[in-house]
Amino acid sequence: MKAVVLPAHNQGYRIEEIADPKPYKGEVVIKVNKAALCYRDLLQIKGFYPRSKYPLILGHEVVGTVEEVGENVNDYREGDRVTSMLFVPDWSCEYCKSGEEVYCKNRVLYAQELDGFFAEKARVKASSLVKIPENVSDEGAVIVPCVAAMVYRGLKKAGIKEGENVLVTGASGGVGIHAIQVAKALGAKVIGVTSSESKARIVSKFADYVIVGDKFSEEAKKIGDISIVIENVGPYTLEESMRSLRSGGKIIQIGNLDPSITFNLRLGYVILKDLSLIGHIGANKKDIVETLNLVKEGKIKPVIGSEFRLEDFGKALDLLKENKNRYGKILISNSF
Ligand SMILES: [Zn+2]
Ligand SMILES: [Zn+2]
């Protein structure tokens, strides 16, 4: 089968022909229907995760159909449509037992310690799988584990209440455009902030209000008291995001994942406005199940900007790097 393989740390990627995977105990092999590209893939290629195993198949966002079931797997059978959590928890530590397996210290990540999903088939641990409800498309499911469910848990963590105003920066991007919909599904009024008029046209299909430009706090405050900002950009917008918030407001910090990026935080401002800056990374299985239900109810619709075949992975990557005309999620697909 074909796969996108990182041969060694910081050595780029290759599209290779490799042997089809076989399931070991507790595993299934899926046919990959669709996988989604994520900023983390770019960081991975750039060598930000040196402790990954190599050679490594890239990609951590997937929807597939179970093709072969290994020993000791009772909950899945051939033909089941599934997605996977981004990691495999041990399901036995104190965090896992308390339903916060995202903090599991023994978790192993797909596309880091385990092979990922930019391939025709993939070997997946049954314990990380989630069944996809009927009436949820492959596109609707592939955006859930890393994006929609991650935002869903972030908003729950921030204690979102119905009727509150939520501001989303980077609103047309793969995370932003779905974050708007998750916040609305949880009862918020949503202000989307984006960088151009062409992106604003997409954002306005989902958000209650749209602001274009990087100085957005004054206009945002005129709309109403803003309780939560979903910050998808990082240092370029974080100052304005803090200014936009009401006293006691919260920032859910999602972008930018690049660990080399820093920000000058004015502590006094944070204290005087009683702000919370909440770092946020992932979703638990429960969040994935609940968010898939929101997709099923039609409250979250997948926004797919582009779709590429596996052999055109390079073109997909170029699009991810280029910010101007990009919106929604970029998919790598084995079936159109
Ligand atoms: Zn991702
Ligand atoms: Zn655990």
Side-chain angles (χ1 to χ4, degrees):
M1 67 166 188
K2 270 195 209 68
V4 177
V5 177
L6 308 191
H9 177 234
N10 224 352
Q11 296 294 312
Y13 71 89
R14 294 199 289 250
I15 298 166
E16 283 184 359
E17 195 67 42
I18 57 170
D20 282 5
K22 282 280 169 198
Y24 293 110
K25 222 178 188 179
E27 297 179 340
V28 304
V29 163
I30 59 170
K31 180 176 111 19
V32 175
N33 301 350
K34 300 198 185 279
L37 196 61
C38 176
Y39 193 71
R40 206 181 96 195
D41 300 315
L42 198 57
L43 293 178
Q44 181 92 43
I45 294 170
K46 284 182 178 172
F48 275 98
Y49 306 106
R51 282 175 302 166
S52 304
K53 70 118 190 162
Y54 293 102
L56 177 75
I57 300 175
L58 194 65
H60 57 271
E61 306 180 14
V62 72
V63 168
T65 307
V66 175
E67 214 175 62
E68 209 179 334
V69 178
E71 273 176 60
N72 285 12
V73 176
N74 304 314
D75 301 338
Y76 298 92
R77 58 184 62 176
E78 206 187 313
D80 282 347
R81 220 158 44 96
V82 291
T83 184
S84 173
M85 302 167 70
L86 310 187
F87 55 90
V88 184
D90 62 7
W91 293 115
S92 60
C93 72
E94 56 181 308
Y95 299 108
C96 286
K97 282 180 182 159
S98 71
E100 289 279 29
E101 64 270 14
V102 75
Y103 300 137
C104 179
K105 286 179 186 163
N106 303 312
R107 65 183 196 166
V108 283
L109 276 80
Y110 289 104
Q112 280 189 41
E113 288 94 355
L114 301 168
D115 276 328
F117 308 121
F118 292 147
E120 289 172 66
K121 295 177 184 192
R123 202 156 62 83
V124 194
K125 307 280 182 197
S127 63
S128 72
L129 290 177
V130 181
K131 275 187 196 156
I132 300 169
E134 276 181 47
N135 307 327
V136 173
S137 64
D138 285 347
E139 290 84 353
V142 80
I143 56 138
V144 170
C146 192
V147 179
M150 178 270 292
V151 172
Y152 177 84
R153 176 167 169 271
L155 285 167
K156 294 262 167 167
K157 226 160 86 176
I160 188 172
K161 293 188 196 75
E162 232 178 290
E164 281 187 328
N165 292 314
V166 170
L167 183 141
V168 178
T169 62
S172 74
V175 176
I177 202 78
H178 298 106
I180 293 169
Q181 300 183 63
V182 176
K184 285 194 66 83
L186 294 175
K189 283 237 175 332
V190 180
I191 304 156
V193 175
T194 190
S195 56
S196 72
E197 291 296 342
S198 64
K199 289 180 176 180
R201 277 195 287 280
I202 295 149
V203 176
S204 64
K205 289 183 190 162
F206 301 99
D208 299 288
Y209 311 91
V210 184
I211 303 175
V212 178
D214 51 9
K215 292 274 174 269
F216 52 85
S217 62
E218 287 309 316
E219 203 175 330
K221 282 192 279 194
K222 281 181 203 153
I223 293 168
D225 281 356
I226 294 162
S227 306
I228 297 172
V229 173
I230 302 175
E231 177 48 78
N232 293 311
V233 181
Y236 314 106
T237 48
L238 188 51
E239 178 84 26
E240 281 291 296
S241 289
M242 295 197 323
R243 285 179 191 278
S244 303
L245 281 171
R246 67 164 168 83
S247 285
K250 293 163 184 168
I251 292 184
I252 304 170
Q253 191 65 41
I254 292 168
N256 183 307
L257 191 56
D258 182 341
S260 65
I261 288 177
T262 56
F263 177 75
N264 265 334
L265 190 64
R266 289 190 292 136
L267 272 184
Y269 191 75
V270 174
I271 297 166
L272 288 170
K273 271 187 89 172
D274 201 359
L275 299 181
S276 304
L277 182 64
I278 304 172
H280 186 62
I281 183 67
N284 294 307
K285 197 170 201 168
K286 175 175 172 282
D287 305 304
I288 295 175
V289 170
E290 290 173 10
T291 307
L292 280 169
N293 278 328
L294 294 177
V295 178
K296 185 179 160 188
E297 289 164 17
K299 291 179 179 164
I300 302 168
K301 295 190 170 62
V303 180
I304 309 302
S306 321
E307 195 161 355
F308 295 88
R309 289 177 195 281
L310 199 60
E311 46 269 44
D312 291 326
F313 180 76
K315 289 182 192 165
L317 208 57
D318 287 345
L319 186 64
L320 184 74
K321 289 180 197 161
E322 183 262 339
N323 181 40
K324 231 174 165 183
N325 302 307
R326 181 163 53 81
Y327 72 93
K329 257 326 228 182
I330 301 170
L331 298 191
I332 306 295
S333 183
N334 289 317
S335 59
F336 278 86

